[in-house]
Structure formats: C-alpha cells, structure tokens
Amino acid sequence: MEKYIDGYLLAVPRAKLPTYKNMAEQAMAVWMEHGALDYRECVAEDIDREGFGSFTAAAGAKEDETVVFAWVVFENKAERDRINALVMADPRLTGMSCEGIFDFKRMCLGGFNTLVGK
C-alpha cells in the first residue's frame, strides 16, 4: 500500500545541532506515539556533489550551518492529517520553541505520495 510522507529540509547552526537533536528526539516520540509509522532526522555528511543540485543552497544553509533532511511516514494522507492535528495540540510540543535553533522561514516542507516503495 502507498504511504504518505511529510518531508523537511532545513539548515541548523552546527553549534546548535545537539540542542536540535534533543528537540528532534522529543518530536519523534510524540509523532510515533500518535501513530506515525516512521520518523527520521538526518544530518548532512556527503552532499553537494559536482554536477548536481545543491542541498546546501536548497536549504539556504550558511557557512556555519549544516543541512538536516527529515521525513515522517504515515499510512495515508487522512492519517497524516489526523496525526498531525494531535501532534500540534500535544503539550509536549506546543511549548517548544525553535527560535535560535533554526529559521522556519528557510525550512522547506511538503507532503508526498509514494511513487515507489515497500
């Protein structure tokens, strides 16, 4: 069955990466508890190869920042909408501030239908 994925691309200051990781771990627990099938947050290690588009540019990452590529997997879009409503109302996240950790205005996010996958 096709799954629905929310994808994210953002820039995080390298000095703030440990704080971001703690936030991501807390967010993962909340999403999974509310029914997400998978939750991943990945930090750039081998990006921006010659002859290809740039993750750094797409994320608007500055010299002191690294790129984070993340996704959450749901059974379908209806489940995504249901789960995200619960997550956004969850008190463990409503008080969480990302200010100073990363810039929401530069974050790319979107929902994707599965084209190929298990």
Side-chain angles (χ1 to χ4, degrees), residues 57-98:
K62 299 174 184 171
E63 191 171 316
D64 66 335
E65 296 176 325
T66 190
V67 175
V68 171
F69 175 62
W71 65 92
V72 185
V73 179
F74 305 93
E75 191 62 40
N76 53 50
K77 187 175 181 187
E79 272 297 281
R80 174 264 213 151
D81 293 344
R82 183 189 71 77
I83 291 165
N84 280 352
L86 293 170
V87 168
M88 292 302 125
D90 192 297
R92 293 171 289 177
L93 296 186
T94 55
M96 185 184 292
S97 173
C98 299

Side-chain angles (χ1 to χ4, degrees), residues 25-115:
E25 287 173 339
Q26 186 174 3
M28 178 181 68
V30 172
W31 254 280
M32 297 300 291
E33 183 178 308
H34 287 298
L37 302 177
D38 194 10
Y39 182 105
R40 304 289 172 130
E41 299 254 3
C42 309
V43 64
E45 192 268 325
D46 182 18
I47 61 172
D48 299 340
R49 295 179 182 195
E50 188 176 330
F52 295 93
S54 168
F55 272 99
T56 300
K62 299 174 184 171
E63 191 171 316
D64 66 335
E65 296 176 325
T66 190
V67 175
V68 171
F69 175 62
W71 65 92
V72 185
V73 179
F74 305 93
E75 191 62 40
N76 53 50
K77 187 175 181 187
E79 272 297 281
R80 174 264 213 151
D81 293 344
R82 183 189 71 77
I83 291 165
N84 280 352
L86 293 170
V87 168
M88 292 302 125
D90 192 297
R92 293 171 289 177
L93 296 186
T94 55
M96 185 184 292
S97 173
C98 299
E99 190 172 329
I101 308 302
F102 69 93
D103 183 358
F104 271 111
K105 293 177 186 172
R106 292 188 288 143
M107 181 173 71
C108 300
L109 64 100
F112 298 83
N113 288 309
T114 302
L115 183 61

